[in-house]
Amino acid sequence: MPDDVAALIWEALGDSRVTTKEASDRLDNLFGYRCPDDIAKTLSKLRKTGLIKGEISMDAGGWIWWADEECRNGTAGEGK
């Protein structure tokens, strides 16, 4: 996955925890950019590589996504 996609998504997520739809809307509003893939698929790929974090939220009715310093520094999942 190109680093530029991760950087765009990190900027769109900011320090918030957002739903898949909110992430998609933020990308569109900030950059006029829609992921070429389905956004959920892209976010899932980034989660599997440790570039973002995500979990199912019963309150939100689906996945929520966020990026913390571990993700941005490439240290997510180390020491496990």
Side-chain angles (χ1 to χ4, degrees), residues 52-69:
I52 66 169
K53 293 182 179 177
E55 66 185 15
I56 295 174
S57 168
M58 298 307 275
D59 293 334
W63 281 85
I64 55 169
W65 308 96
W66 69 97
D68 58 17
E69 287 307 309

Side-chain angles (χ1 to χ4, degrees), residues 12-32:
L13 294 177
D15 293 327
S16 305
R17 289 179 178 232
V18 300
T19 65
T20 304
K21 172 142 180 33
E22 289 169 328
S24 179
D25 290 346
R26 285 181 179 199
L27 285 165
D28 191 33
N29 290 334
L30 286 172
F31 307 108

Side-chain angles (χ1 to χ4, degrees), residues 1-10 27 33 35-37 41-43 45-47 49 51-52 71:
M1 173 123 348
D3 288 340
D4 56 334
V5 172
L8 288 173
I9 291 175
W10 290 338
L27 285 165
Y33 177 84
C35 289
D37 261 350
K41 185 176 176 183
T42 300
L43 293 171
K45 285 180 187 178
L46 290 171
R47 182 183 61 82
T49 61
L51 294 173
I52 66 169
C71 300

